[in-house]
Amino acid sequence: MASADDIRATVRKYVETVGAGTAADIVALYREDATVEDPVGTEPHVGHAAITEFYAAIEPLDRSTELFSIRVAGNSAAFSFRVVTRFGEQTFTLDPIDVMTFDEDGRISSMRAFWSQDDMVTG
Amino acid sequence: MASADDIRATVRKYVETVGAGTAADIVALYREDATVEDPVGTEPHVGHAAITEFYAAIEPLDRSTELFSIRVAGNSAAFSFRVVTRFGEQTFTLDPIDVMTFDEDGRISSMRAFWSQDDMVTG
């Protein structure tokens, strides 16, 4: 099992790359057979190809992220963070809570993101 | 499916009763066949009798709670909150992130709590 420190390091790297990395940087943190359900209740993206396509949508955006807190339990973690996306003068701020599971090497085996359109703040 | 408002109301009531209610008050928010995994990675408590026994442990304690944020997605929610427990001069503060699923009546069908002993702050 990955240690709590390994899991926290992967979560930090994930939030950093969602804020400033390429889709390839983000997907490299996932297992080849990982699943991504974002938001929870939608059809999961399964495997590196589908997950790359999912994150490719944010790659061209002007964005930044901030990690608020991480809770590790066994081979899982829940964490809250902020994603700010900018279009010209307008900003879109979302604070999701994500849940991830990890394999023995600290790679992400599943991600589920809890948020809805109601949580998006436009400024 | 329960509405997002129903789900938020149940989460608020849950955090309130964990802070100031009896085990029976808390368990009344759960379906009869619900599961409680607290913390994640431990054996789940299944059904009202086992869940009552689980919360009975906190019933005699001097405690308070505070809800920080809720994220609703489909029939699920993730939320962060604080539980403070007092023994004489000493306080134990824990900020878990919990994930719940809900039935069509807004009752809790499952709860999973993300935290570890590392997250407990003694003061």
Side-chain angles (χ1 to χ4, degrees):
Chain A
M1 196 166 85
S3 73
D5 283 343
D6 292 343
I7 289 175
R8 278 188 281 261
T10 301
V11 168
R12 284 195 197 95
K13 187 83 185 154
Y14 174 77
V15 172
E16 273 171 36
T17 53
V18 167
T22 64
D25 293 335
I26 303 170
V27 172
L29 301 172
Y30 280 96
R31 280 174 64 94
E32 172 56 40
D33 60 352
T35 58
V36 169
E37 184 183 349
D38 186 349
V40 166
T42 59
E43 191 62 34
H45 308 278
V46 182
H48 266 196
I51 296 171
T52 301
E53 194 175 342
F54 173 70
Y55 287 106
I58 66 162
E59 202 176 73
L61 303 180
D62 177 11
R63 63 210 141 90
S64 61
T65 52
E66 182 185 352
L67 180 60
F68 294 137
S69 66
I70 312 177
R71 292 291 170 263
V72 176
N75 69 348
S76 301
F79 56 100
S80 58
F81 67 112
R82 172 165 293 176
V83 186
V84 180
T85 311
R86 289 168 215 82
F87 293 95
E89 296 294 295
Q90 194 140 44
T91 62
F92 297 87
T93 303
L94 181 68
D95 297 351
I97 295 176
D98 281 13
V99 168
M100 289 178 169
T101 57
F102 299 85
D103 70 9
E104 59 280 5
D105 301 316
R107 283 177 308 176
I108 306 162
S109 45
S110 71
M111 185 275 259
R112 305 181 75 220
F114 293 78
W115 63 277
S116 74
Q117 286 298 334
D118 296 351
D119 303 313
M120 185 77 78
V121 178
T122 311
Chain B
M1 195 165 86
S3 73
D5 283 343
D6 292 342
I7 289 175
R8 278 188 281 261
T10 301
V11 168
R12 284 195 197 97
K13 187 83 184 157
Y14 174 77
V15 172
E16 273 172 36
T17 54
V18 167
T22 64
D25 293 334
I26 304 169
V27 172
L29 301 171
Y30 281 97
R31 280 174 64 95
E32 172 56 40
D33 60 354
T35 59
V36 169
E37 184 183 348
D38 186 348
V40 166
T42 59
E43 192 61 35
H45 308 279
V46 182
H48 267 195
I51 297 171
T52 302
E53 194 176 343
F54 173 69
Y55 288 105
I58 65 162
E59 201 175 75
L61 305 180
D62 178 10
R63 62 209 142 89
S64 61
T65 52
E66 182 184 353
L67 179 61
F68 294 138
S69 68
I70 312 177
R71 291 293 170 261
V72 176
N75 69 348
S76 302
F79 57 100
S80 59
F81 67 112
R82 172 165 292 175
V83 187
V84 180
T85 310
R86 290 169 213 81
F87 293 96
E89 295 296 294
Q90 194 140 44
T91 62
F92 297 87
T93 303
L94 182 67
D95 296 352
I97 295 177
D98 281 13
V99 168
M100 289 177 169
T101 57
F102 299 85
D103 70 7
E104 60 281 5
D105 300 317
R107 283 177 309 177
I108 307 161
S109 44
S110 70
M111 185 275 260
R112 305 181 74 220
F114 292 79
W115 63 277
S116 74
Q117 285 298 333
D118 297 351
D119 304 312
M120 184 77 78
V121 178
T122 311

